[in-house]
Amino acid sequence: MKSERIVIGVASGKGGVGKTTASVNLAVCLATMGKSVLLIDGDLGLSNAQILLGCAPMFTFADVISGQKNIEDVIVTGPHGVRLLPGASGVGELASLSRAQISGLIQGISALPPSDVLIVDAAAGISHSVTMLLQACDHQLIILENEPSSIADAYGTLKVLSQECRLESTLHVVPNRVQNLREGQAIHKLLNDVCLKFLNLSVNYLGSLRQDESVIKAARAAKPVVDFAPTSPIATDIRQLAHKILELPRAQQASGGLQFFMESLIEGAN
């Protein structure tokens, strides 16, 4: 196991493919494995990680940006000690924040107790703020489904991250809602073949997440599915993915840890 902090960005080319479900349940699963975890809801416009965690934060990112609250006042603790920095609907993109606002966030997050794993649930798409967030992470997980537009959008995301952000070995695809693990492997092969042909890029495969009705039932109960149905296929897949994440190496571009991660947001905001 790696002892230093690892920063994981979770992204998708389009919305509705289960990105936040994967982020939340990975955070909870890693916490049950004894890791201290900080989950940042990076989708300020459509944040919902707190719902899946069963948390009801009194304050959000908006209160920090407005200067009414400090970051430590906003962070809430969810299942198994997962700490969540909740997003705030209607605030806008990270790129709209001023340098002073971002500097305040850097100071606030850097002053927080350290965590073993930082998970960033990025907004869907490839806006500049999203790519800057992902570039600052040690590794990037691209969630996709076995559906033409999802695969095409995942390819577009990988293209931007590899060509504009110069990311290669840290890119990983995680097919979601597959019927079986063979289907997930086939999706990876299809996407990897296209990336090799047109981008000269080989993308990593960390595993797949199977289609499971437990996800919807857990969401309705406002509980992470790894707690709601711990023996379900999706919970099993999440645990396997969590173990693989802990074995990933630190990336060179994130050698500054959390400080580098937050400081990079300044470049994306100006």
Side-chain angles (χ1 to χ4, degrees), residues 166-234:
R166 299 292 187 262
L167 300 176
E168 292 184 358
S169 62
T170 63
L171 297 173
H172 312 266
V173 297
V174 180
N176 188 29
R177 296 171 184 156
V178 298
Q179 295 303 312
N180 52 61
L181 300 183
R182 288 191 301 276
E183 180 184 350
Q185 293 169 343
I187 295 171
H188 168 256
K189 184 179 186 306
L190 171 64
L191 188 57
N192 191 54
D193 287 347
V194 174
C195 288
L196 281 171
K197 181 176 181 180
F198 295 103
L199 304 177
N200 194 30
L201 170 71
S202 178
V203 293
N204 303 305
Y205 174 68
L206 278 187
S208 300
L209 306 177
R210 285 171 284 181
Q211 175 72 35
D212 195 329
E213 293 182 358
S214 299
V215 172
I216 296 177
K217 295 178 180 178
R220 289 172 178 167
K223 292 184 177 180
V225 70
V226 291
D227 281 347
F228 180 83
T231 61
S232 63
I234 182 67

Side-chain angles (χ1 to χ4, degrees), residues 202-267:
S202 178
V203 293
N204 303 305
Y205 174 68
L206 278 187
S208 300
L209 306 177
R210 285 171 284 181
Q211 175 72 35
D212 195 329
E213 293 182 358
S214 299
V215 172
I216 296 177
K217 295 178 180 178
R220 289 172 178 167
K223 292 184 177 180
V225 70
V226 291
D227 281 347
F228 180 83
T231 61
S232 63
I234 182 67
T236 300
D237 297 340
I238 288 287
R239 282 193 294 272
Q240 292 179 350
L241 184 59
H243 281 289
K244 291 180 180 179
I245 284 175
L246 291 179
E247 293 300 326
L248 292 174
R250 283 283 298 269
Q252 292 298 319
Q253 70 267 19
S255 58
L258 182 57
Q259 184 72 18
F260 176 94
F261 169 80
M262 294 305 298
E263 286 176 350
S264 70
L265 296 184
I266 293 179
E267 300 301 325

Side-chain angles (χ1 to χ4, degrees), residues 48-178:
N48 56 15
Q50 65 266 29
I51 298 174
L52 298 181
L53 276 174
C55 297
M58 295 181 62
F59 308 105
T60 69
F61 224 116
D63 297 293
V64 178
I65 293 170
S66 67
Q68 296 179 12
K69 294 293 178 180
N70 296 321
I71 285 183
E72 58 266 27
D73 299 323
V74 172
I75 287 182
V76 294
T77 301
H80 306 285
V82 171
R83 292 179 295 159
L84 170 68
L85 179 56
S89 297
V91 173
E93 297 290 338
L94 279 172
S96 67
L97 301 183
S98 68
R99 178 179 292 270
Q101 289 170 326
I102 293 294
S103 296
L105 295 179
I106 291 172
Q107 294 175 3
I109 292 184
S110 297
L112 293 173
S115 58
D116 298 319
V117 184
L118 170 61
I119 297 179
V120 182
D121 180 24
I126 51 175
S127 68
H128 183 61
S129 59
V130 170
T131 57
M132 287 302 301
L133 272 171
L134 296 175
Q135 189 175 11
C137 297
D138 291 312
H139 293 271
Q140 303 78 25
L141 275 57
I142 310 301
I143 310 295
L144 72 157
E145 292 183 317
N146 192 9
E147 186 269 326
S149 63
S150 179
I151 295 174
D153 288 342
Y155 171 78
T157 301
L158 291 166
K159 180 178 180 179
V160 169
L161 292 176
S162 63
Q163 294 186 343
E164 296 184 14
C165 301
R166 299 292 187 262
L167 300 176
E168 292 184 358
S169 62
T170 63
L171 297 173
H172 312 266
V173 297
V174 180
N176 188 29
R177 296 171 184 156
V178 298

Side-chain angles (χ1 to χ4, degrees), residues 14-34:
K14 60 178 292 186
V17 299
K19 170 182 59 63
T20 298
T21 296
S23 299
V24 166
N25 283 279
L26 273 173
V28 173
C29 188
L30 287 163
T32 64
M33 296 164 63

